Amino acid sequence: MTQALIKHDDLFPLAEIDSLFSFSQIHLCSPALAGKPMPHKRPALADLVRGTVMLLMVACFGGRELRAAEAPVWPIPAWQVSTPEEEGMDSAELVKMIVYGKTKSFDSLLITRQGRIVLDAYYAPYTGDIPHNLNSATKSVVSSLVAMLRKDGVLDSLEHPVLDLFADRDPANIDERKKAITVQHLLDMTSGLEWDEGFEGGREQSMIDMRRSPDWVKFILDRSMSSHAPGELFYYNSGNSHLLSALVTKLSGTATLSYADAKLLGPLGIAATFWRKDPQGIAIGGFGLSMRPHDMAKFGYLYLRHGEWAGQQLLPAEWVDAVNHATIPMNARVDPGLTYHNQFWALPDRHVFMAVGYHCQVIMVFPDLDVVAAMTARDFCSFRRMAEGISSAVKSEAPLPTNPEAARLLADAVSDVSTEKPTEVGPAPQIASVVSGKTYRFADNALDIRSVSLSFADRPGYDVELITHNPASPVIRMRGPIGLDGFYRKSEPTPFGLRAVKGAWVSGDTFDVDVQYVGLGEQQKFSLSFSDDKKVLLRGKGRYGREVAVTGEAGG
C-alpha cells in the first residue's frame, strides 16, 4: 500500500498498560472471550484504565474486533475463515484477481489476511482436496530444512565447502573453483557449475540429461565449472537444489521427507504429502513435492511469522529476515526487478518474497500487509501483476464497513470458477466410426506423444503412449474415459493427481483433445486431423508454447 497506516496498538499500547500493572493483555472484543467473566484478581485501577481504553477503542472503531491488536492467529488444526472486509480488504478487488486467474488457467487462489482465509477459490475441475505439485516451489521447502540443520548445529556453517560434505564421492572435473563452492552458493544459485536449464524458455538440456542419469547426485557433482566463479553470478540450476536435498538426507541420517515430516511439515499440521525421488531414493530437491493449497498457505504463514509457529521457533528469525531482504539479481528479462536468496524469489520494490514453481505454483508472502497468498495454475502468470492486485485489495488494518454487493460479486465469482462449463461439441462425422479403436504411431516429437488410440463406441475412451526422459520407464501409457459432451471425464486418483480428459469434433475430419493433469499444474491440448483411416496429422504446442506438427500412421 502507498499510504501510511496507523496501528491501533500504536495509539493504545495495551501491552504497556498491562505491564505497568503486572497482568497479561486480554482482548475484550475477541469472540473467544465474548460473554466470559473477567478475572477477579485484576487491580481495580488496572481494570478502570483498561476499561477506559477499550471504551475509547469501541468509540473509535465501532465495536469491531481490532485485528492489529491481537496476538497472532494460528491455523491449528485448520484455518479460520473471515470476510475480506472484516480483515480490511476489498471484496471487489479480489473479484478482479479471480478473473485474472481465469485468463491464466489457475487451479486455485487462496489469500489469508491477519491469519484468516479471506479468499479460497478453486477452478474446475481442480478441487482443494487434491494435493498439487509445487514444481520448483519445492526448492523453498528444501532450503528451510537446511536452515533447520544449521539451527540445530547439525550443519556447522552455510559457508561449509560442499565437496567436503560429499567426501565419500569422487567427483570429476575438480579444480580450485569447484572446491570453493559452499552450501550458501547452492542456496543462492551461484555455484558456478556449468548448467543449461532454459531459465527463460530455452531447452532444458541439463535437466533432460540429469533425468536420464542413473545417479543424479553424481551427475551434478561431476559437472564442469562455468566461466564464473562461485558467488559471482546467479544462474537458475535445479541441480543445486537437488544437492541440498541430498545433504539433508546425508546430515540428518534419514530421508529428506522423513526429516521434513518431523521438523517442518508435522509441526505445521500439514497432511501426508507425495514427494518424487531420484534413482537412489533421494527426494528431488528441485521439484516433485505436492501439497494442498491450505498447506501451501501454512508454509507461507510460517515465514510471515518470522519462523515462529504457535510459540515454537522452527526457523531462525535471521534466516527469514534474509529471505525477506533478498538482494541477488536474477537478471530475468521477464522482470529485471526480481531478486533471489536461499531458494526464494523476491520483488523488493513491492516488498514481497515468494516460493516459485513452473506454471505459477506460488506461495507469496507480504510482510508489510500481513498477507499470504497461495496459487496453483496450468500456465504462467505475472508475479508483479499478482502482487499489485493483492496489495491493492488491502485497504486498512482495521475492518472495513460491510459491503453486501461486493460480497455477493465475490461469492458469485468463486462459484463461477468452481463450476465446470461445457465446451461446444460438434456432431460426430462419418470418419469417427472408421478411426475408432485404431492406434496411430508417431515419430519422436516435442509433444512426446508416441501413439494415440481413440474409442467412440459405447464407452468412449483414450489410450495414449508418452515418451519420458526417465531411463527406468522411457514410455508410459495412459488410458481412461474421455468426455464427448463438453465435460471432462476424470481418471482414478494417483500419487501424481488425476487426469481429466474431453474431446470434440471441430470439423469433419479434426478431433480436438484436451487433457488436464489435475494436481500437476499441466494441461495438454492437441488436435488429430484424419486424412483417411491410415494417416493422421498431430498438432499441438510443446513446452513454452512451441508449435508442433507430425504425421502418424495406423498400425504397428
Side-chain angles (χ1 to χ4, degrees):
M1 302 182 338
T2 55
Q3 71 268 32
L5 295 175
I6 301 176
K7 290 185 177 181
H8 310 312
D9 49 359
D10 290 337
L11 293 172
F12 305 105
L14 301 184
E16 293 183 13
I17 295 174
D18 277 343
S19 176
L20 177 65
F21 293 102
S22 300
F23 53 79
S24 62
Q25 179 178 344
I26 221 167
H27 304 290
L28 297 181
C29 294
S30 170
L33 297 177
K36 292 185 178 181
M38 295 297 296
H40 296 295
K41 63 181 180 180
R42 289 180 176 271
L45 178 59
D47 285 343
L48 176 63
V49 172
R50 187 173 185 83
T52 301
V53 168
M54 295 306 297
L55 286 174
L56 288 172
M57 294 173 77
V58 169
C60 291
F61 303 109
R64 296 173 180 267
E65 186 177 356
L66 299 171
R67 302 301 197 204
E70 289 184 341
V73 176
W74 301 103
I76 300 174
W79 287 98
Q80 296 182 29
V81 177
S82 186
T83 66
E85 277 69 27
E86 187 65 22
E87 306 306 324
M89 298 185 75
D90 183 353
S91 290
E93 293 293 329
L94 295 183
V95 172
K96 297 177 184 178
M97 302 310 302
I98 294 178
V99 173
Y100 176 75
K102 289 176 66 175
T103 69
K104 297 300 179 181
S105 300
F106 271 30
D107 285 334
S108 66
L109 176 59
L110 185 153
I111 298 174
T112 76
R113 178 101 204 278
Q114 299 174 155
R116 299 170 178 85
I117 289 177
V118 297
L119 176 62
D120 199 10
Y122 300 96
Y123 297 69
Y126 180 76
T127 55
D129 60 331
I130 301 174
H132 204 288
N133 187 14
L134 302 185
N135 292 334
S136 285
T138 301
K139 294 176 169 69
S140 302
V141 175
V142 172
S143 73
S144 301
L145 301 180
V146 173
M148 291 177 161
L149 290 173
R150 177 68 192 97
K151 172 178 173 286
D152 294 342
V154 179
L155 174 64
D156 61 344
S157 171
L158 297 179
E159 301 303 325
H160 198 118
V162 171
L163 293 189
D164 286 357
L165 296 170
F166 288 102
D168 57 328
R169 296 276 185 164
D170 185 21
N173 301 307
I174 292 181
D175 59 16
E176 292 305 313
R177 292 181 304 159
K178 183 177 279 192
K179 291 179 181 178
I181 299 173
T182 66
V183 174
Q184 188 64 62
H185 292 142
L186 298 181
L187 289 165
D188 290 340
M189 299 285 189
T190 59
S191 66
L193 290 170
E194 187 67 48
W195 197 263
D196 183 8
E197 193 162 334
F199 174 47
E200 293 190 285
R203 182 172 172 81
E204 302 176 336
Q205 191 59 54
S206 295
M207 293 290 288
I208 294 171
D209 294 341
M210 182 180 74
R211 287 189 178 103
R212 290 173 175 167
S213 168
D215 187 333
W216 291 16
V217 172
K218 174 177 172 54
F219 174 84
I220 301 162
L221 290 174
D222 284 352
R223 304 296 292 176
S224 299
M225 296 298 292
S226 69
S227 58
H228 298 284
E232 188 172 284
L233 182 72
F234 171 93
Y235 187 76
Y236 197 83
N237 178 346
S238 293
N240 292 330
S241 309
H242 192 57
L243 288 183
L244 291 172
S245 179
L247 285 175
V248 171
T249 294
K250 189 178 185 65
L251 295 178
S252 69
T254 187
T256 299
L257 179 54
S258 298
Y259 185 75
D261 282 338
K263 304 291 287 187
L264 177 62
L265 304 180
L268 298 187
I270 292 179
T273 57
F274 175 73
W275 199 335
R276 293 177 59 190
K277 299 175 182 178
D278 75 0
Q280 277 63 52
I282 298 171
I284 299 174
F287 55 92
L289 176 63
S290 295
M291 283 189 193
R292 295 171 180 83
H294 279 216
D295 293 336
M296 294 169 64
K298 284 185 176 182
F299 179 73
Y301 196 66
L302 172 67
Y303 272 82
L304 182 69
R305 294 291 172 242
H306 314 289
E308 180 192 349
W309 193 263
Q312 184 181 3
Q313 195 70 38
L314 299 182
L315 291 170
E318 58 271 20
W319 167 274
V320 178
D321 185 64
V323 169
N324 188 16
H325 297 89
T327 58
I328 298 172
M330 295 183 68
N331 311 307
R333 292 190 302 272
V334 65
D335 191 330
L338 284 167
T339 57
Y340 199 84
H341 190 47
N342 288 343
Q343 307 277 291
F344 282 83
W345 303 41
L347 285 168
D349 60 322
R350 302 302 310 182
H351 201 188
V352 171
F353 63 90
M354 307 167 282
V356 172
Y358 180 84
H359 271 178
C360 204
Q361 323 311 323
V362 180
I363 304 168
M364 195 173 279
V365 181
F366 300 73
D368 294 344
L369 303 180
D370 206 353
V371 167
V372 172
M375 60 209 76
T376 60
R378 289 161 281 117
D379 198 356
F380 300 102
C381 68
S382 167
F383 306 140
R384 186 170 295 277
R385 170 71 179 82
M386 291 302 300
E388 290 172 351
I390 294 169
S391 296
S392 67
V394 178
K395 304 299 184 182
S396 170
E397 291 188 13
L400 300 174
T402 58
N403 188 338
E405 177 60 19
R408 182 187 65 79
L409 290 174
L410 182 60
D412 288 347
V414 172
S415 176
D416 177 68
V417 297
S418 67
T419 305
E420 185 180 350
K421 315 295 191 306
T423 51
E424 186 176 349
V425 178
Q430 183 177 356
I431 201 170
S433 60
V434 176
V435 303
S436 180
K438 285 186 169 59
T439 298
Y440 294 85
R441 298 194 175 278
F442 305 90
D444 288 350
N445 58 81
L447 296 177
D448 291 331
I449 294 177
R450 175 171 170 172
S451 73
V452 172
S453 178
L454 298 170
S455 173
F456 301 105
D458 294 337
R459 299 182 65 182
Y462 65 92
D463 192 332
V464 178
E465 285 186 333
L466 294 175
I467 300 171
T468 77
H469 301 295
N470 184 351
S473 55
V475 177
I476 60 173
R477 191 170 187 177
M478 303 187 311
R479 55 168 61 126
I482 182 170
L484 300 179
D485 56 358
F487 289 96
Y488 289 104
R489 295 295 186 275
K490 295 181 180 180
S491 70
E492 292 297 319
T494 74
F496 295 95
L498 54 88
R499 291 182 300 278
V501 187
K502 63 181 176 180
W505 288 99
V506 295
S507 71
D509 63 0
T510 299
F511 186 74
D512 282 357
V513 180
D514 181 350
V515 184
Q516 279 202 38
Y517 300 89
V518 182
L520 278 181
E522 297 286 346
Q523 184 171 10
Q524 188 174 32
K525 296 181 179 182
F526 58 90
S527 67
L528 296 163
S529 297
F530 299 91
S531 55
D532 51 40
D533 64 337
K534 300 295 184 184
K535 291 188 177 182
V536 64
L537 179 63
L538 170 67
R539 290 192 184 96
K541 290 185 178 181
R543 199 165 174 86
Y544 297 107
R546 293 188 292 270
E547 296 285 347
V548 180
V550 59
T551 299
E553 295 187 358

